[in-house]
Amino acid sequence: MKLNLMDKHQEVLDKAVQALHERTFFAHYPENPLPDVYGENADKEGREKYKEHLNNNFTELLQQDPAAWVGQEESPYEQQALGVKYPYFDPETLVNRAEEAYHQWRKVKPADRAALLVEALENIKPRFFEIAYATMHTTGQAYLMSFQASGPHAADRALEAIASGYEEQTRFPESTEWEKPMGKYNLKLNKSWRAVPKGVALVIGCSTFPTWNTVPGMFASLVTGNPVIVKPHPKAVLPIAIVVAEVQKVLQENGLDPNICQLGVDADDKLITKDLAEHPKVKLIDYTGGTEFGNYVESLPGKTTFTEKTGVNSIILDSVDDLDKVAQNLAFSVTLYSGQMCTAPQNFYVPETGIKVGGETVPYEDVVEKIAGAVTALVNNPKAAPHILGAIQNPATAERVKSASSVKGREVLSTCDFENPMFSNARTCTPVIYEVDATEKESYSRELFGPVVLIIKTKNTEQSIEIAKTMAMSHGAISCGAYTTDPAVKEKIMDEMGLAGTPVSFNLTGNIYVNQNASFSDFHVTGGNPAGNASFTNPEFVIKRFTWVGFREPAMG
Amino acid sequence: MKLNLMDKHQEVLDKAVQALHERTFFAHYPENPLPDVYGENADKEGREKYKEHLNNNFTELLQQDPAAWVGQEESPYEQQALGVKYPYFDPETLVNRAEEAYHQWRKVKPADRAALLVEALENIKPRFFEIAYATMHTTGQAYLMSFQASGPHAADRALEAIASGYEEQTRFPESTEWEKPMGKYNLKLNKSWRAVPKGVALVIGCSTFPTWNTVPGMFASLVTGNPVIVKPHPKAVLPIAIVVAEVQKVLQENGLDPNICQLGVDADDKLITKDLAEHPKVKLIDYTGGTEFGNYVESLPGKTTFTEKTGVNSIILDSVDDLDKVAQNLAFSVTLYSGQMCTAPQNFYVPETGIKVGGETVPYEDVVEKIAGAVTALVNNPKAAPHILGAIQNPATAERVKSASSVKGREVLSTCDFENPMFSNARTCTPVIYEVDATEKESYSRELFGPVVLIIKTKNTEQSIEIAKTMAMSHGAISCGAYTTDPAVKEKIMDEMGLAGTPVSFNLTGNIYVNQNASFSDFHVTGGNPAGNASFTNPEFVIKRFTWVGFREPAMG
């Protein structure tokens, strides 16, 4: 390599590996868009750079000879096309170039790959604001979430994958002398091992978190020596295109083939994901998105897949200290990015007998009212609401929220009179709340993507737990929030939701929400239920991307 | 637990974990059946105990209320029934009992599970000789292999799985305090994690290595908290029945349900493997055996599978120092247990231009003759041959060897005039060697189980490597032996066979053979080609058996 990148980045890699195991707070990229961290004009310059992309060709990629220039992005805030055009390559070209690059990339040592990828993240860091605006105007996220999720949080998740891949590939010795006592003599073999990467990797992005959900698989495959084709959602390309471009630049600067990491966008009239996914040379697939396509990906023969699909997330209400604080916390969770997070709660289980609040029983109806009231107060707060709700990425989501006619229940809170003061044309809606009886399984047995809350009236907490567990095991779940002051109930919830592979946040109030997952501490998705078969970033997430192969030979003399 | 087993076994567990990472020689169970290690009368008593089982019910298992007593074993040495009968339980009973035991076993701490399983191995150790005779008379292995493979080597592979599972489950903290600086205050969460076992595990054994190929999956599932149903091959039950019985005794002694580890044998008129494998409650399946059934196992939806199927193992001959020593080494490898090892070589690639021997070219024909000569000399050595060849487990194998009519090539060495001096009725055959042209792909593109050697005439070493690699990628391979004195050729073989997920032994001569794999050092099967999707014991072999689930709650104060 041109520079001794391993010297430069060894410390951060070591710290990141340590953080993976301590699982205490660790962030290499500051999450607040502060001028004294990112520079006085960073925000302004980022916005300007974002605007320069509009109605232009994205020419930063180092991939040669595109067959066409394509682009379908549209801002949920302005409801008009971004007009950015990306180079299009047919799937065969992408795969052949990846295959060629594979034989160069796989021979780079794991430690050098890791250092090179950290270098790329460091080069992406000055572009966090530009990526933030690109994220706002493709996903509809509010400004702060756009910055944090697509910038520092995504970069830390990428670093996490790099660190884990680096650790796993260096966990066994490169070589050793094996010496076996045979009685009269010792049998000596020189042994060595290689972590052989599996081959061409495909990473299929989603429309709501174009970098956050893409970089873990992308960097995990790269650090383990696999060339990557990033296939973004056609409506959310720009944020990840910038990331790919920066990786390509570092590769080229270090004398490597930029096709080690390619962007493969859909043509305007042709979706290429299935062609790529089914290509025999594609060995690894990371996927984030809907369950139906995710199941298709998982079913493809001869592929190692890493999926995050959809789930039915739950809130279990048993007993609390302060119901107002709980209601406010939950109101924020369902309002944040208008419920378009994979971790957003949907099914709230409340016993018909009410819940204990500081020792007193509060009736079921009052609990429902408190929650509805907290959501109403939040969405009616003009200083807070626009920065929390953001906009709706997909018109179909807004439609679904407005006409959730398949839910058999009483509408407790209706939706969608929200106007964004900064973007008069923004596609928005506020949370809708339905009250559903526990017997109406059909209504609550699937994900209703977007700001839809179902309050499910159960017999008691035991039934709440039982249903939440069954839902998670049958339909998947990525998060569960539980409120109880009873240690025995807490243990029961941990035990039962643990069996359903669902992490549980207990008794959250204040500025911490069930939706949020911290890199280097919270495993995101467990892989243990139908919401997905992979987890950011447990060892399985990286070790399935390579094969340990051993070699041995008698030692001389 | 009744005893403080963790104190008792902590040292061996720590040593085993260390050995996994150093990958130098480590064996906890001595491989030689020496009186001063195992006791003066150990062999005699083992043989007597084996004989006591014959024509008797196997009553050691602690499983209650069998539906019948069944057994179909037959000695390949005596070609008559053993007459041992085992308790039969229908699949539903086995699964329900396992499911019930699951909820007890999963709550035992990983360290305690590990200690308890080491205790079981220690109790199995005094029965190695009894297991050896049981192995001889079910598999046809010779005495020494029966002792080593089913006794100490199997126990060390089991210990390896226990150690790896123990390490992986304790690799992340049980709990930690997560503290995030928020500017004016710190956000504090108490976090904890649990390694949640996946559920009922099934381990499907094979007829040739009834303990060695069964214990890794069995102990890997057990140490990670999953109840196990061991489903042995109906022709090779006794060796593993003894192992299961000893595990059950330790469980019961420690106040645990013996159904945590059950033996599930086929009825005489009904095979139960598919019923068990397809049962929705069965989550994990380990399998050793033929490719067709293995592919069926891998295809089952909703299961995590670990397979070892069949492969086409190769020998690449390029250049050697001493052709006689090489030929003797290879002759032993193909003769050992009459080629019934999954690691036995089958396809020998020899260039038509001959190979270099100490700088001189030896013609192709002479190389073939040397190999055939070495095999002939070995099988005609009455002191050695019976102890190497053993007997043929399955009559179909002997049939196949005698009439390998599908091989289009010249028979270089014919088979099967071997008489075992100790067992006049033994089912035996010696290796057959065919010479096949590289163009006759059909002939050498599949495993010909048993002592069948194909010498494939290639254009040059480059073609030898290319075919060996293609065979491994298309049809699987578990081992490759290569002979070259040229460092560039060696690197090319490592690189190409590495891509095919095939370990390579270079230049073996003397008392070390391509068939042999050492616990704690050689990964057995890589999982990187169609010969199997799992590896003894890489981290993947254990971590796929449980799910990391996290819990968090605001810290008080």
Side-chain angles (χ1 to χ4, degrees), chain B residues 147-220:
Chain B
F147 179 84
Q148 293 187 332
S150 275
H153 289 176
D156 271 324
R157 282 286 177 194
L159 179 61
E160 185 184 66
I162 296 167
S164 182
Y166 168 64
E167 185 190 19
E168 295 299 330
Q169 289 175 100
T170 51
R171 217 174 152 209
F172 297 107
E174 278 185 52
S175 65
T176 193
E177 185 171 283
W178 181 86
E179 187 165 353
K180 179 181 179 179
M182 300 292 283
K184 289 176 186 158
Y185 68 104
N186 283 359
L187 186 63
K188 289 188 196 175
L189 295 176
N190 288 327
K191 299 195 178 187
S192 63
W193 293 269
R194 293 182 185 178
V196 179
K198 288 205 173 160
V200 179
L202 171 66
V203 182
I204 305 168
C206 66
S207 59
T208 46
F209 288 90
T211 76
W212 196 93
N213 272 100
T214 296
V215 294
M218 171 184 164
F219 282 81

Side-chain angles (χ1 to χ4, degrees), chain A residues 67-81:
Chain A
W69 289 85
V70 299
Q72 310 170 39
E73 290 162 298
E74 187 202 75
S75 168
Y77 283 106
E78 294 170 336
Q79 300 209 46
Q80 69 178 40

Side-chain angles (χ1 to χ4, degrees), chain B residues 152-475:
Chain B
H153 289 176
D156 271 324
R157 282 286 177 194
L159 179 61
E160 185 184 66
I162 296 167
S164 182
Y166 168 64
E167 185 190 19
E168 295 299 330
Q169 289 175 100
T170 51
R171 217 174 152 209
F172 297 107
E174 278 185 52
S175 65
T176 193
E177 185 171 283
W178 181 86
E179 187 165 353
K180 179 181 179 179
M182 300 292 283
K184 289 176 186 158
Y185 68 104
N186 283 359
L187 186 63
K188 289 188 196 175
L189 295 176
N190 288 327
K191 299 195 178 187
S192 63
W193 293 269
R194 293 182 185 178
V196 179
K198 288 205 173 160
V200 179
L202 171 66
V203 182
I204 305 168
C206 66
S207 59
T208 46
F209 288 90
T211 76
W212 196 93
N213 272 100
T214 296
V215 294
M218 171 184 164
F219 282 81
S221 275
L222 285 171
V223 75
T224 52
N226 305 284
V228 168
I229 300 166
V230 174
K231 213 307 291 178
H233 191 282
K235 298 291 186 192
V237 181
L238 186 54
I240 195 70
I242 295 168
V243 170
V244 171
E246 289 299 334
V247 172
Q248 291 185 347
K249 283 175 209 168
V250 170
L251 288 166
Q252 193 172 64
E253 278 164 18
N254 287 278
L256 293 162
D257 185 347
N259 288 324
I260 288 165
C261 182
Q262 297 175 89
L263 189 73
V265 297
D266 293 302
D268 292 343
D269 56 353
K270 183 176 184 291
L271 301 175
I272 62 170
T273 310
K274 284 191 170 186
D275 288 347
L276 288 169
E278 292 172 15
H279 198 292
K281 284 184 183 163
V282 170
K283 303 297 182 191
L284 300 167
I285 307 177
D286 287 83
Y287 169 80
T288 313
T291 289
E292 196 182 341
F293 201 88
N295 290 343
Y296 152 80
V297 168
E298 288 177 11
S299 76
L300 290 170
K303 317 285 178 180
T304 302
T305 66
F306 304 85
T307 64
E308 178 183 329
K309 301 177 290 184
T310 58
V312 184
N313 300 326
S314 53
I315 297 293
I316 298 169
L317 285 160
D318 174 70
S319 47
V320 305
D321 283 327
D322 184 326
L323 185 55
D324 288 309
K325 283 187 181 170
V326 171
Q328 282 158 21
N329 185 279
L330 293 173
F332 189 92
S333 279
V334 302
T335 306
L336 189 59
Y337 188 26
S338 303
Q340 296 167 101
M341 299 179 78
C342 57
T343 48
Q346 174 184 299
N347 287 2
F348 287 46
Y349 300 97
V350 183
E352 62 187 17
T353 50
I355 67 170
K356 289 270 180 199
V357 179
E360 303 280 305
T361 298
V362 169
Y364 166 83
E365 290 77 12
D366 294 6
V367 176
V368 176
E369 204 172 292
K370 278 278 184 200
I371 295 167
V375 173
T376 304
L378 186 59
V379 300
N380 287 332
N381 178 342
K383 283 193 180 163
H387 310 294
I388 301 168
L389 284 162
I392 301 293
Q393 194 278 326
N394 188 338
T397 304
E399 279 310 307
R400 191 185 309 110
V401 176
K402 285 176 199 161
S403 62
S405 54
S406 63
V407 177
K408 284 191 185 158
R410 180 174 75 92
E411 193 177 273
V412 177
L413 189 69
S414 57
T415 182
C416 267
D417 297 298
F418 180 77
E419 276 214 10
N420 187 305
M422 291 157 293
F423 299 98
S424 59
N425 204 28
R427 186 189 302 123
T428 61
C429 57
T430 61
V432 59
I433 304 179
Y434 292 90
E435 194 187 15
V436 179
D437 195 79
T439 56
E440 295 289 350
K441 281 225 162 144
E442 278 293 301
S443 292
Y444 59 81
S445 294
R446 68 215 139 88
E447 188 187 53
L448 302 162
F449 188 77
V452 180
V453 175
L454 307 180
I455 297 182
I456 295 149
K457 190 196 273 192
T458 62
K459 287 206 186 74
N460 47 38
T461 294
E462 204 170 326
Q463 192 189 30
S464 297
I465 299 169
E466 177 56 31
I467 298 177
K469 178 191 177 190
T470 307
M471 286 294 117
M473 293 183 92
S474 312
H475 306 288

Side-chain angles (χ1 to χ4, degrees), chain A residues 20-26 31 102-103 106-107 153 167-168 171-173 175-182 185 187 189 191-194 196-198 283 321 469 484 490-491 493-509 511-519 521-523 525-528 535 537-541 543-544 546-554 556, chain B residues 20-26 31 102-103 106-107 153 167-168 171-173 175-182 185 187 189 191-194 196-198 321 469 473 484 490-491 493-509 511-519 521-523 525-528 535 537-541 543-544 546-554 556:
Chain A
L20 275 175
H21 290 282
E22 294 182 347
R23 307 206 82 76
T24 49
F25 175 76
F26 176 78
E31 72 175 357
Y102 172 48
H103 296 292
R106 69 184 177 84
K107 289 178 183 169
H153 289 177
E167 185 191 18
E168 295 298 330
R171 217 172 153 211
F172 296 106
S175 65
T176 194
E177 185 170 282
W178 181 85
E179 188 167 349
K180 178 180 178 179
M182 300 291 284
Y185 68 104
L187 186 62
L189 295 176
K191 298 195 178 187
S192 65
W193 293 269
R194 292 182 185 178
V196 179
K198 288 206 175 161
K283 303 295 182 192
D321 283 328
K469 178 192 176 187
T484 181
K490 185 181 168 191
E491 174 53 35
I493 292 171
M494 289 170 79
D495 195 52
E496 297 288 336
M497 295 310 289
L499 287 174
T502 309
V504 186
S505 302
F506 285 95
N507 303 321
L508 297 187
T509 57
N511 291 321
I512 174 77
Y513 306 98
V514 67
N515 322 40
Q516 298 173 324
N517 272 330
S519 311
S521 184
D522 298 317
F523 294 111
V525 186
T526 65
S535 180
T537 297
N538 65 13
E540 194 173 338
F541 191 69
I543 63 176
K544 286 159 88 173
F546 62 86
T547 303
W548 281 113
V549 183
F551 306 97
R552 56 186 188 172
E553 183 173 16
M556 294 303 154
Chain B
L20 275 175
H21 290 283
E22 295 182 346
R23 306 205 83 74
T24 48
F25 175 77
F26 177 77
E31 71 175 358
Y102 172 48
H103 296 292
R106 68 184 177 84
K107 290 177 184 171
H153 289 176
E167 185 190 19
E168 295 299 330
R171 217 174 152 209
F172 297 107
S175 65
T176 193
E177 185 171 283
W178 181 86
E179 187 165 353
K180 179 181 179 179
M182 300 292 283
Y185 68 104
L187 186 63
L189 295 176
K191 299 195 178 187
S192 63
W193 293 269
R194 293 182 185 178
V196 179
K198 288 205 173 160
D321 283 327
K469 178 191 177 190
M473 293 183 92
T484 181
K490 184 182 169 190
E491 173 53 36
I493 291 171
M494 288 169 79
D495 195 54
E496 298 287 337
M497 295 310 289
L499 287 174
T502 309
V504 186
S505 302
F506 286 95
N507 302 323
L508 296 187
T509 56
N511 291 321
I512 174 78
Y513 306 99
V514 68
N515 322 38
Q516 297 172 324
N517 273 330
S519 310
S521 183
D522 298 318
F523 294 112
V525 187
T526 66
S535 180
T537 295
N538 65 13
E540 195 173 337
F541 191 69
I543 64 176
K544 286 160 86 173
F546 62 87
T547 304
W548 280 112
V549 183
F551 307 97
R552 54 186 190 172
E553 182 171 17
M556 294 303 153

